[in-house]
Amino acid sequence: MFGPDSILWKFLVLILFAAAWYYVVFRLGCCGSDERFSPDLRRYSALPWEDGGKFYQRCFRIKSWKDKLPQRIPEDGFSKAHLDTVTPEYLDTFLTETCRGEWIHTGNLLLSVVLLLAAPKGLRLLSALLNAVVHLPYIMIQRYNRFRLLRCRDRLRRQQYGVGVSADERAAAC
């Protein structure tokens, strides 16, 4: 009943494999240097169809649900729940963390391909779809927020941050 050939056993092995995968991807993302997660890298650039992030609002109404999903903050990590301050330097840190988050969730999304190819037959499609449903929203949130933050940071830099611009004006820029 609960031997290596049972679906329950295979499901348990699948859960343990996914947990190990998530852990490795998370640790690689957290230990990676900030240069690997620069928003200036091509892999984090806006694609034409994303329309600077507007695609996510237009097609998925992302504003209505993005703040309701939980976030995992590593010890001494960076919270992306809200802007603590509005300076180009802080926004650079926030932007790097959106890239790091996207990288981690994309790495976890790749597990869906492995599941489609290697999971037990009765669990392949279900496990791959479940994994994708868990990680795709987070990738969309990271990209949506990054494009907005880039515009805000660039606007602040154009205003020559700190030179004749009040804190209220800086906050209004975003």
Side-chain angles (χ1 to χ4, degrees):
M1 187 75 170
F2 189 71
D5 292 331
S6 76
I7 193 75
L8 191 57
W9 175 260
K10 291 175 182 179
F11 181 71
L12 180 62
V13 169
L14 188 66
I15 294 295
L16 292 174
F17 178 75
W21 181 290
Y22 294 157
Y23 178 78
V24 168
V25 169
F26 181 75
R27 296 304 309 158
L28 288 172
C30 290
C31 297
S33 69
D34 287 353
E35 291 79 32
R36 269 184 52 202
F37 305 109
S38 169
D40 299 324
L41 295 174
R42 194 173 124 203
R43 70 176 160 250
Y44 301 118
S45 298
L47 300 169
W49 56 265
E50 290 176 296
D51 193 19
K54 294 175 187 165
F55 165 80
Y56 299 107
Q57 177 58 23
R58 190 172 52 248
C59 295
F60 298 102
R61 304 285 184 240
I62 196 167
K63 285 183 195 177
S64 67
W65 53 265
K66 72 180 187 76
D67 294 328
K68 294 179 176 133
L69 295 182
Q71 67 169 321
R72 164 72 170 98
I73 306 168
E75 209 172 292
D76 298 326
F78 186 86
S79 173
K80 296 178 285 292
H82 56 83
L83 292 175
D84 287 337
T85 184
V86 184
T87 65
E89 295 77 20
Y90 177 81
L91 292 177
D92 283 336
T93 302
F94 203 127
L95 286 161
T96 298
E97 292 305 313
T98 66
C99 295
R100 186 182 313 274
E102 180 182 342
W103 188 91
I104 289 170
H105 286 288
T106 301
N108 287 336
L109 181 64
L110 292 176
L111 176 60
S112 291
V113 176
V114 174
L115 294 170
L116 278 174
L117 298 174
K121 279 191 179 183
L123 299 172
R124 284 182 185 169
L125 188 58
L126 179 64
S127 60
L129 284 174
L130 182 60
N131 186 65
V133 165
V134 167
H135 293 287
L136 280 172
Y138 287 99
I139 294 168
M140 293 188 313
I141 291 168
Q142 300 305 326
R143 295 190 66 79
Y144 173 77
N145 285 339
R146 184 165 50 255
F147 305 141
R148 293 173 53 228
L149 291 168
L150 282 167
R151 286 191 300 271
C152 179
R153 184 203 58 191
D154 294 346
R155 197 173 308 127
L156 285 174
R157 284 185 177 159
R158 279 193 303 274
Q159 292 175 349
Q160 296 182 3
Y161 166 68
V163 180
V165 178
S166 72
D168 289 340
E169 289 171 318
R170 282 196 305 275
C174 299

